[in-house]
Amino acid sequence: DGGITQSPKYLFRKEGQNVTLSCEQNLNHDAMYWYRQDPGQGLRLIYYSQIVNDFQKGDIAEGYSVSREKKESFPLTVTSAQKNPTAFYLCASNLAGAPNEQYFGPGTRLTVT
Amino acid sequence: DAKTTQPTSMDCAEGRAANLPCNHSTISGNEYVYWYRQIHSQGPQYIIHGLKNNETNEMASLIITEDRKSSTLILPHATLRDTAVYYCIVRVSETSGSRLTFGEGTQLTVNP
């Protein structure tokens, strides 16, 4: 099946630890995105990448880092510098060019205590 | 990207049409209107998009006013599985990026 996978679905970490969230797509999409969602709110863009080995900060990049070494993978690291890391994290991708809809993964719910 | 305004919540009876409004009075000529929905604790799902003309697909219809300052998403025969948060987004279609700016959306509840 083609799609976007995120793992794990639930993740628990202690405060002060870095944690990496996985996002993989087999849709041959060029662009990939990471969003954060807090309860009762819409999605906010963390980072995005339009091509391998290149990425840009979104609206709330502080405390996060990404890499794009392969077209199909865009892992997100939540560092200890992120003050409120507990949230629902969503990965998305789309073909380059416009207008193209974004396809979203199922999300990872991160809880930091 | 232009800002959108949507009602916080709406109810609809099962089997009836659900009409979800969106105001985007500051939309620019090169901005598209997109609709996504998010069922609780899942990733958002693309529904439909349009520029000027009305659009229809297997999920919904999108009606855009002539001045493009507002639009309505129509689910013709709502089912209980259509209960979700619906997001209206306007954005410039660029070849170099596809940023989506999500507001808080409309919580649609379909009642039996």
Side-chain angles (χ1 to χ4, degrees):
Chain A
D1 278 4
I4 302 176
T5 57
Q6 291 185 244
S7 60
K9 188 165 179 63
Y10 298 94
L11 190 55
F12 298 88
R13 280 293 183 272
K14 294 290 188 186
E15 195 174 322
Q17 294 178 333
N18 291 356
V19 58
T20 298
L21 281 60
S22 166
C23 177
E24 305 277 332
Q25 54 95 4
N26 61 4
L27 301 167
N28 201 32
H29 285 174
D30 307 286
M32 297 186 74
Y33 308 80
W34 274 106
Y35 294 89
R36 168 188 172 133
Q37 187 174 34
D38 293 288
Q41 299 187 23
L43 283 66
R44 292 184 289 168
L45 183 65
I46 304 173
Y47 267 99
Y48 63 106
S49 168
Q50 296 157 33
I51 194 170
V52 174
N53 292 322
D54 187 45
F55 47 83
Q56 289 78 39
K57 292 182 179 180
D59 300 319
I60 54 165
E62 186 175 348
Y64 299 98
S65 66
V66 293
S67 63
R68 186 85 186 277
E69 297 176 2
K70 298 186 294 182
K71 187 176 185 179
E72 59 270 23
S73 178
F74 191 41
L76 173 75
T77 296
V78 184
T79 75
S80 56
Q82 168 51 232
K83 293 186 179 3
N84 296 296
T86 294
F88 188 44
Y89 290 88
L90 288 153
C91 179
S93 70
N94 62 254
L95 286 169
N100 286 307
E101 62 266 28
Q102 287 189 8
Y103 293 82
F104 284 81
T108 292
R109 191 167 298 279
L110 173 65
T111 302
V112 177
T113 58
Chain B
D1 293 343
K3 184 177 177 179
T4 62
T5 304
Q6 299 177 252
T8 301
S9 63
M10 293 183 65
D11 283 272
C12 176
E14 188 177 18
R16 305 297 294 268
N19 298 290
L20 290 88
C22 180
N23 183 291
H24 32 79
S25 58
T26 59
I27 193 170
S28 301
N30 60 348
E31 288 184 309
Y32 284 72
V33 180
Y34 283 74
W35 284 84
Y36 283 75
R37 73 180 183 184
Q38 185 178 26
I39 294 169
H40 184 63
S41 294
Q42 296 183 22
Q45 176 190 23
Y46 164 82
I47 302 172
I48 199 168
H49 73 273
L51 182 63
K52 287 190 281 191
N53 299 323
N54 297 338
E55 302 288 344
T56 295
N57 62 21
E58 64 279 5
M59 290 183 69
S61 294
L62 175 60
I63 308 298
I64 302 173
T65 58
E66 195 169 335
D67 62 8
R68 304 208 325 122
K69 293 186 176 183
S70 65
S71 60
T72 301
L73 179 75
I74 301 173
L75 307 179
H77 305 287
T79 71
L80 299 179
R81 287 179 293 182
D82 291 322
T83 292
V85 177
Y86 287 77
Y87 296 100
C88 169
I89 299 162
V90 293
R91 71 165 180 87
V92 175
S93 289
E94 317 163 342
T95 57
S96 60
S98 301
R99 295 182 54 143
L100 298 176
T101 301
F102 286 79
E104 295 184 2
T106 296
Q107 171 67 59
L108 174 69
T109 302
V110 180
N111 300 304

